Amino acid sequence: GAVVSQHPSRVICKSGTSVKIECRSLDFQATTMFWYRQFPKQSLMLMATSNEGSKATYEQGVEKDKFLINHASLTLSTLTVTSAHPEDSSFYICSARDQTNEQFFGPGTRLTVL
Amino acid sequence: AQRVTQPEKLLSVFKGAPVELKCNYSYSGSPELFWYVQYSRQRLQLLLRHISRESIKGFTADLNKGETSFHLKKPFAQEEDSAMYYCALKGRGGGNKLTFGTGTQLKVEL
């Protein structure tokens, strides 16, 4: 099946710094990627839909200036958490949709903000 | 608004026993329903979707529009079925967004 990678798998940063997370579709092109956030023992919450070549669509309550999304190519989307604070600590998961409309998920990135 | 409810956080069964993971949904339209599975230390992966009407790893799920349910069933649980199971709904249009339930941890004991 299709493979989606995320980098880094784990990141620790200081409060106030920015962190970039990459999501790549390794063997297929994805015009649409999705970014989710998962709190411990809770479900995946969709943050935004990333569309190649256009602006991301953010879910209600998600600050677009806080969580910058760039989908510059058909195989790469990035999520930048700007001016991170401890409450941004979470597990961030991306998925990429292939031409059959199926979503394939990345392994996730654990962000810890000190 | 679309919503998915999985009432059980944890379901523990013995090997060989039947399994039923409950999922109810709320959506004003005709949804697509999915079950995703996450094995320990692995990524989320698609288990099955209602439109395929297929059995994967012995699991089946039938969409019941009257009861707005999409319960996941398996007649005989295996130890390797132990995992986290998420029910998800995709509404028609709206960017094909997936809405996930809170998940049920299935533990199959020997």
Side-chain angles (χ1 to χ4, degrees):
Chain A
V3 179
V4 175
S5 70
Q6 277 184 246
H7 179 81
S9 58
R10 186 182 297 265
V11 57
I12 301 172
C13 69
K14 291 183 179 179
S15 188
T17 61
S18 294
V19 174
K20 181 185 282 189
I21 303 170
E22 292 186 349
C23 177
R24 293 182 186 271
S25 56
L26 297 185
D27 49 3
F28 67 101
Q29 294 183 331
T31 54
T32 304
M33 292 183 174
F34 301 88
W35 286 96
Y36 296 86
R37 184 172 178 176
Q38 186 176 32
F39 291 102
K41 298 187 179 182
Q42 293 190 31
S43 187
L44 286 79
M45 300 297 295
L46 180 65
M47 299 174 66
T49 302
S50 172
N51 302 297
E52 188 267 334
S54 64
K55 291 183 179 180
T57 305
Y58 289 82
E59 294 301 299
Q60 193 173 11
V62 178
E63 299 176 60
K64 59 183 179 182
D65 295 330
K66 172 79 171 172
F67 299 99
L68 300 178
I69 291 172
N70 188 311
H71 194 151
S73 77
L74 288 171
T75 59
L76 172 65
S77 176
T78 60
L79 168 69
T80 301
V81 183
T82 62
S83 187
H85 287 95
E87 57 266 28
D88 299 324
S89 297
S90 193
F91 196 56
Y92 293 88
I93 302 172
C94 75
S95 71
R97 192 171 71 196
D98 72 357
Q99 283 115 335
T100 68
N101 230 17
E102 183 172 340
Q103 282 191 40
F104 296 91
F105 287 81
T109 296
R110 172 78 58 197
L111 171 63
T112 303
V113 184
L114 303 176
Chain B
Q2 52 195 62
R3 185 185 300 169
V4 177
T5 303
Q6 292 180 252
E8 303 142 326
K9 285 192 174 181
L10 173 66
L11 182 64
S12 186
V13 301
F14 287 107
K15 179 181 175 181
V19 173
E20 184 179 51
L21 300 171
K22 290 185 167 51
C23 172
N24 287 88
Y25 67 89
S26 174
Y27 182 69
S28 57
S30 187
E32 282 188 68
L33 275 298
F34 305 81
W35 276 99
Y36 283 84
V37 61
Q38 188 170 29
Y39 299 102
S40 180
R41 300 181 187 277
Q42 294 188 29
R43 69 189 66 195
L44 202 65
Q45 56 184 288
L46 179 65
L47 180 62
L48 55 80
R49 61 179 84 185
H50 91 270
I51 58 174
S52 299
R53 301 184 68 81
E54 58 194 345
S55 173
I56 305 292
K57 298 184 179 182
F59 285 98
T60 59
D62 291 318
L63 179 61
N64 186 322
K65 293 186 178 180
E67 296 182 357
T68 59
S69 68
F70 188 57
H71 303 326
L72 183 67
K73 300 177 182 179
K74 184 170 182 176
F76 308 105
Q78 301 298 314
E79 190 180 0
E80 56 266 27
D81 295 329
S82 295
M84 193 72 174
Y85 291 81
Y86 292 96
C87 183
L89 176 154
K90 185 163 70 174
R92 306 291 180 179
N96 288 312
K97 297 183 294 186
L98 279 172
T99 298
F100 286 87
T102 48
T104 298
Q105 180 75 47
L106 174 65
K107 185 177 179 182
V108 181
E109 299 181 78
L110 299 175

